[in-house]
Amino acid sequence: MTEQQGSSGKRGSVSRSLMAGVATGLGLAVAASAVAATVVYAAGGPLTVKPAPAKAAAQSGAPTTTHLYLTIESGRMLGKPGWPQYVPANFTVPAHSKVIVTIRNFDGGAATIPAPYLKVQGTSSGSEQVLSAKPGAKPQTVTQLPAGGASHTLTVGQLHLNVPVPPASTVTFSFHTGAPGTYAWQCFAPCGTGKTGWSGPMSDNGFMRGTMTVA
Ligand SMILES: [Cu+2]
């Protein structure tokens, strides 16, 4: 996953400082992935995660699992204060598959989130794993974040999937995809611009909202 950070020197330096703490949590997730997936990362474009070749899955007899990596970058990191962004914001995952999602949040700010969105919903285990970027932090499995404890959410309303993300942390969870389709996702933390925080990146596609394509 480090190669994803290589495109930006600024981003890379921040990620390296987080990597030490992040490694433990990711190790668990990667170990759970029976078959490696291919991540195609086009600069500036949508991310496509392809499942491992069917042959490999058949040989090992293990179910196909795909790993999707997302980052949340603060507006300041991107040179656009007030405009945090999911990178990528538009992505594709395979249908009828288990998808492990890792969200690395480089935004250290918290937002006041409507209570229902503090609850983890729709993940395989009903929980998420949180690893704080603080030195020495250990991964924790949680089903809910405390008030004021979230910075962003990844919410796919149509799939009843809601994952709150604490400030400066890595969140890992898995979910099962169904039939192919196009699903809008949105962050429900008022992390944007304007008096209410619901403008700017919250209303413009490609920042705190986007499309998950199941194909
Ligand atoms: Cu947000």
Side-chain angles (χ1 to χ4, degrees):
M1 58 175 294
T2 47
E3 59 269 62
Q4 290 181 19
Q5 303 301 329
S7 57
S8 157
K10 209 195 287 178
R11 212 184 297 162
S13 62
V14 176
S15 73
R16 268 192 297 278
S17 65
L18 279 175
M19 275 310 290
V22 161
T24 328
L26 289 184
L28 294 175
V30 171
S33 173
V35 179
T38 308
V39 179
V40 181
Y41 201 83
L47 176 82
T48 302
V49 179
K50 293 179 180 169
K55 228 183 187 178
Q59 278 168 0
S60 68
T64 301
T65 302
T66 297
H67 206 143
L68 171 67
Y69 296 99
L70 303 174
T71 61
I72 302 172
E73 302 176 16
S74 70
R76 208 167 286 173
M77 284 171 75
L78 296 165
K80 204 173 177 183
W83 287 71
Q85 184 175 28
Y86 268 84
V87 180
N90 298 306
F91 43 86
T92 301
V93 293
H96 305 295
S97 298
K98 179 182 179 182
V99 180
I100 300 172
V101 185
T102 297
I103 304 174
R104 297 176 66 197
N105 180 18
F106 294 101
D107 187 351
T112 303
I113 293 184
Y117 295 102
L118 289 168
K119 278 189 176 171
V120 181
Q121 203 186 327
T123 66
S124 303
S125 58
S127 60
E128 67 186 31
Q129 187 196 70
V130 174
L131 179 59
S132 166
K134 285 177 191 149
K138 294 207 165 76
Q140 292 190 314
T141 300
V142 303
T143 56
Q144 187 166 0
L145 295 184
S151 160
H152 301 277
T153 76
L154 181 69
T155 308
V156 188
Q158 223 180 323
L159 300 179
H160 303 289
L161 179 70
N162 181 65
V163 176
V165 181
S169 68
T170 297
V171 166
T172 304
F173 65 95
S174 65
F175 74 107
H176 286 87
T177 59
T182 302
Y183 303 91
W185 70 265
Q186 197 188 325
C187 167
F188 275 91
C191 60
T193 57
K195 270 189 183 150
T196 59
W198 287 89
S199 303
M202 292 297 281
S203 57
D204 278 20
N205 268 320
F207 289 85
M208 282 291 140
R209 62 196 304 161
T211 302
M212 179 175 82
T213 303
V214 178

